[in-house]
Amino acid sequence: MEVRAVFLVGFMGSGKSSVGRELARQLDWDFVDLDTRIESRERQTVPEIFRERGETGFRLAETDALRDLLAESGQPNRVVALGGGAFVQERNRELLRPWLSVFLEAPASELWQRSQSDGIERPLRGDPSQFERLYEERLPFYREASLVIDTAGKTVASICLEIESALQLRETPEGAGRGLSGMNLTSFRTGESQ
Ligand code: S3P
């Protein structure tokens, strides 16, 4: 059976985990959070890794966890939420090139508000201007994702519907949905990255 997976990409507060969980639920796929994988592999929380090994150490752990995830065979279909910096690393984008990635885009001001209210400790959040600067720096990388979804003011349910329909993820009576490996990903680009 063809292995199918979608990787959600975006800045802190962009809803990767909530959209990922809901999308996986709707498709009856598994949901995987890469930060959670890192924490169980390293037996430390993300903030602890940052404190002890700095960002460089965290990025190494992140790539190791991603490699492990991609090497797992015989897994069910899954939706994977990446951490906000994962897709910024060239080596990770290279690892993810054969797979579908979806950038959840929103204005920095909305992301700041969301990232403040979810109670998660984020070592790189900084103050509002640092937050916005980092977002601007990362945008060109996020826009390399296979699909860009504007999430501003939208509900999780409507974002999931948009992703499902743009990527044709639902099984159809004629057979499986679109194969995800080896496909021409550029044909799925939408929005500004077109
Ligand atoms: C990071 C975002 C975090 C986590 C780590 C680094 C980043 O994930 O991976 O704190 O570099 O933006 P979320 O995007 O889920 O907050």
Side-chain angles (χ1 to χ4, degrees), residues 7-183:
F7 293 82
L8 299 181
V9 170
F11 204 55
M12 296 170 251
S14 59
K16 302 177 296 281
S17 298
S18 34
V19 169
R21 253 187 220 100
E22 177 59 16
L23 183 63
R25 195 189 64 77
Q26 285 184 14
L27 293 167
D28 202 19
W29 290 14
D30 275 9
F31 171 70
V32 178
D33 182 286
L34 188 65
D35 279 345
T36 306
R37 283 296 186 103
I38 297 168
E39 292 183 330
S40 46
R41 256 184 121 258
E42 304 295 323
R43 294 170 206 270
Q44 277 187 313
T45 64
V46 168
E48 282 167 353
I49 301 171
F50 266 86
R51 271 195 293 277
E52 283 189 16
R53 307 179 222 169
E55 184 174 353
T56 310
F58 174 76
R59 295 298 167 210
L60 291 172
E62 185 173 56
T63 300
D64 286 347
L66 182 60
R67 270 189 219 285
D68 270 10
L69 183 72
L70 294 172
E72 286 168 3
S73 55
Q75 293 298 312
N77 296 336
R78 54 198 179 179
V79 181
V80 182
L82 298 178
F87 205 69
V88 177
Q89 307 297 311
E90 190 178 358
R91 58 180 182 260
N92 297 341
R93 289 200 305 283
E94 209 41 59
L95 288 171
L96 290 167
R97 209 167 293 283
W99 300 93
L100 281 174
S101 49
V102 179
F103 169 34
L104 303 180
E105 184 161 30
S109 53
E110 191 170 325
L111 296 171
W112 173 258
Q113 294 302 332
R114 290 194 217 156
S115 72
Q116 238 176 350
S117 58
D118 64 12
I120 297 172
E121 185 186 346
R122 293 181 169 93
L124 295 181
R125 199 160 68 94
D127 63 29
S129 63
Q130 290 167 324
F131 187 87
E132 189 164 348
R133 204 170 329 120
L134 187 59
Y135 184 56
E136 294 297 327
E137 270 170 36
R138 288 178 171 184
L139 263 178
F141 303 110
Y142 292 151
R143 288 192 174 133
E144 289 185 30
S146 331
L147 174 72
V148 178
I149 297 276
D150 178 6
T151 67
K154 293 181 187 160
T155 62
V156 168
S158 71
I159 296 165
C160 291
L161 271 180
E162 252 184 79
I163 297 173
E164 280 179 37
S165 99
L167 301 180
Q168 300 177 30
L169 296 176
R170 292 256 180 209
E171 300 281 337
T172 62
E174 297 82 48
R178 301 291 275 263
L180 303 191
S181 299
M183 67 197 309

